[in-house]
Amino acid sequence: MLCGCGSAHEPRAFARKLETPSGARLWLQCSGSGPVALADAGLAIPARSWAAVRKRVRHVRFCAFDRAGVGRSDTRPCLCGSLQRDVEDEHALVT
């Protein structure tokens, strides 16, 4: 899934863990500049699965992340995962 939104972030590339308001520490990798395109592979597929897409996109800030418990993200501090929590985590990553 790809979702887009505007962004005022600087165009510096980075890859690091970010803590969401729910306490999840998620791996996020961003590169490029322009409106943000957030890639969510879902199904326990890590962010690195977007590598080929990342190389081809232009004119956007392309970001991919690992959901809680996947790839380089930490597991949640509780057994409280839900679709709503996933949406809240994604929102926190792009704001």
Side-chain angles (χ1 to χ4, degrees):
M1 171 175 120
L2 286 171
C3 58
C5 63
S7 174
H9 295 287
E10 61 184 271
R12 212 175 64 226
F14 72 87
R16 64 177 175 257
K17 286 184 183 178
L18 298 175
E19 188 166 340
T20 66
S22 69
R25 289 176 31 94
L26 305 180
W27 179 260
L28 178 67
Q29 183 175 4
C30 294
S31 59
S33 62
V36 174
L38 179 65
D40 179 3
L43 300 174
I45 299 170
R48 67 180 173 265
S49 66
W50 291 97
V53 175
R54 178 182 303 282
K55 292 177 185 175
R56 300 178 107 168
V57 297
R58 303 284 185 264
H59 311 294
V60 298
R61 180 158 183 79
F62 187 84
C63 298
F65 73 102
D66 291 335
R67 288 185 181 203
V70 174
R72 290 174 270 189
S73 289
D74 297 343
T75 57
R76 290 189 186 282
C78 64
L79 296 175
C80 53
S82 67
L83 180 58
Q84 180 63 34
R85 184 69 47 103
D86 288 343
V87 169
E88 291 167 2
D89 286 347
E90 289 184 35
H91 184 261
L93 291 175
V94 296
T95 57

